[in-house]
Amino acid sequence: STGWQLELPGYGQSAVVVWRNHVYVTSVEGPNKEALLVSCIDLKTGTLLWKRSQDASQQAPSNYQQSRAAPTPVVDENGLYAFFESGDLLAFTHDGQSRWTSNLGKEFGPFENRHGLGASPTQTDSLVIVNLEHQGPSHLVAIDKHDGSVKWSAERPGSSSWSSPIATSIHGRSQVVVSSGGTVT
């Protein structure tokens, strides 16, 4: 079999995510990261299946010193959930239809961090969990996968953390583990 290569728009620092025959990639475009992009590529052929763009709700300069689409998305049988350092969380079906958007920056921001947010979300069967840890008031936030609503949030100490939370079961109890500032909570 032969490989493929595809040039993508903008800049992206996240890992790619593969679901069956789909490869998902996130990126940002513009001098102030005005556009948030999600692209879906066919795994076997490298053909661009769809690309969606949304205006960022919070802008910051696009440069090598700040995150640029750094959080890696999560995926399940219903679609993709992509979080961006602007505070926008976007949900799409596998065929590219928008399911919902959530502006976490409006409720929990603005985000005060010299290098932007970089923590990737984690997930459970019903939640997308995001670590919004920065220099201002910080939170661990659980978003309902069905409609994008906030199910719960827990205050976190304000610091510079790009650690991605882990959703796991410990001794039969569902928990979210966060590493930050030399501690594990």
Side-chain angles (χ1 to χ4, degrees), residues 9-59:
Y11 294 93
Q13 296 170 311
S14 73
V16 300
V17 176
V18 176
W19 178 264
R20 297 192 177 134
N21 195 40
H22 292 163
V23 177
Y24 294 103
V25 181
T26 59
S27 57
V28 292
E29 276 188 313
N32 289 300
K33 300 185 280 190
E34 298 91 347
L36 312 174
L37 305 175
V38 177
S39 300
C40 179
I41 299 111
D42 183 279
L43 178 64
K44 293 177 185 168
T45 67
T47 303
L48 179 66
L49 298 175
W50 54 263
K51 179 179 79 171
R52 302 294 179 262
S53 177
Q54 177 174 312
D55 292 341
S57 61
Q58 182 176 325
Q59 298 179 11

Side-chain angles (χ1 to χ4, degrees), residues 142-166:
I143 306 298
D144 189 308
K145 285 183 173 181
H146 177 71
D147 61 10
S149 64
V150 175
K151 294 301 278 186
W152 57 260
S153 68
E155 288 187 16
R156 297 283 305 144
S159 69
S160 294
S161 174
W162 295 272
S163 173
S164 303
I166 298 170

Side-chain angles (χ1 to χ4, degrees), residues 18-149:
V18 176
W19 178 264
R20 297 192 177 134
N21 195 40
H22 292 163
V23 177
Y24 294 103
V25 181
T26 59
S27 57
V28 292
E29 276 188 313
N32 289 300
K33 300 185 280 190
E34 298 91 347
L36 312 174
L37 305 175
V38 177
S39 300
C40 179
I41 299 111
D42 183 279
L43 178 64
K44 293 177 185 168
T45 67
T47 303
L48 179 66
L49 298 175
W50 54 263
K51 179 179 79 171
R52 302 294 179 262
S53 177
Q54 177 174 312
D55 292 341
S57 61
Q58 182 176 325
Q59 298 179 11
S62 180
N63 60 51
Y64 293 108
Q65 306 241 333
Q66 291 195 334
S67 60
R68 294 193 274 191
T72 297
V74 292
V75 65
D76 66 13
E77 65 276 356
N78 296 313
L80 177 85
Y81 309 88
F83 177 65
F84 292 86
E85 61 269 19
S86 60
D88 295 296
L89 179 61
L90 315 178
F92 294 96
T93 63
H94 289 291
D95 62 1
Q97 300 303 310
S98 177
R99 293 181 52 215
W100 50 261
T101 62
S102 182
N103 180 345
L104 300 179
K106 183 176 182 181
E107 186 165 351
F108 298 101
F111 304 119
E112 302 166 18
N113 194 321
R114 289 184 20 211
H115 301 288
L117 297 175
S120 299
T122 190
Q123 66 179 327
T124 67
D125 288 343
S126 61
L127 301 172
V128 176
I129 302 166
V130 183
N131 184 22
L132 301 174
E133 206 164 311
H134 57 102
Q135 298 301 313
S138 299
H139 296 85
L140 184 67
V141 181
I143 306 298
D144 189 308
K145 285 183 173 181
H146 177 71
D147 61 10
S149 64

